Amino acid sequence: MAGYDDGRVACTDDGLLIRHYYLYGAKRIRYSDIREVRRVSPLGFTARWRIHGSGDFVHWFNYDPRRPRKNTALVIYLDASVRPVITPDDPEAVRAELEAHGVRVTTGTESMR
């Protein structure tokens, strides 16, 4: 059973589910594969209006048409060159779920385009 689910992002028993990550579907990330999650707030102008995709080939935003009304992003650090970026409806609930599964969550800045 999911501990958090807003329709675009879900925290399940075994990992993070990012819906609409690819044009054709979702991305599943096991909690054990996450090195760190960085909470970034406020979102910059370009990141806030990035509805889907990437502007710098480092950060990849899942499809979220409500992103322009959101203020906080979670950047997921994996052992890969691309960092998934999510903007859940309730970032604090996602943070709590991630920490409950042993994921380190920090707060900082990030240059996202």
Side-chain angles (χ1 to χ4, degrees):
M1 179 171 198
Y4 175 83
D5 191 341
D6 66 14
R8 299 203 184 276
V9 176
C11 295
T12 66
D13 290 336
D14 57 345
L16 188 63
L17 173 65
I18 306 172
R19 296 182 185 95
H20 309 287
Y21 185 81
Y22 304 107
L23 291 176
Y24 55 85
K27 180 175 184 72
R28 288 173 170 73
I29 304 170
R30 291 188 310 255
Y31 294 121
S32 61
D33 291 340
I34 300 173
R35 288 188 0 236
E36 174 188 348
V37 173
R38 182 172 297 161
R39 182 182 181 277
V40 178
S41 183
L43 279 173
F45 179 80
T46 307
R48 181 180 300 258
W49 288 95
R50 170 94 29 222
I51 303 302
H52 185 249
S54 179
D56 61 5
F57 302 108
V58 174
H59 301 91
W60 186 268
F61 293 79
N62 68 314
Y63 176 72
D64 186 352
R66 296 182 298 214
R67 187 170 290 117
R69 295 187 298 269
K70 297 179 180 180
N71 208 23
T72 302
L74 300 176
V75 182
I76 303 163
Y77 285 78
L78 306 168
D79 286 329
S81 57
V82 175
R83 298 176 196 147
V85 180
I86 58 174
T87 49
D89 290 346
D90 187 350
E92 288 306 310
V94 174
R95 179 200 54 76
E97 284 291 323
L98 292 169
E99 287 178 341
H101 286 93
V103 176
R104 184 170 68 117
V105 180
T106 63
T107 300
T109 60
E110 187 96 9
S111 178
M112 296 181 283
R113 289 182 231 145

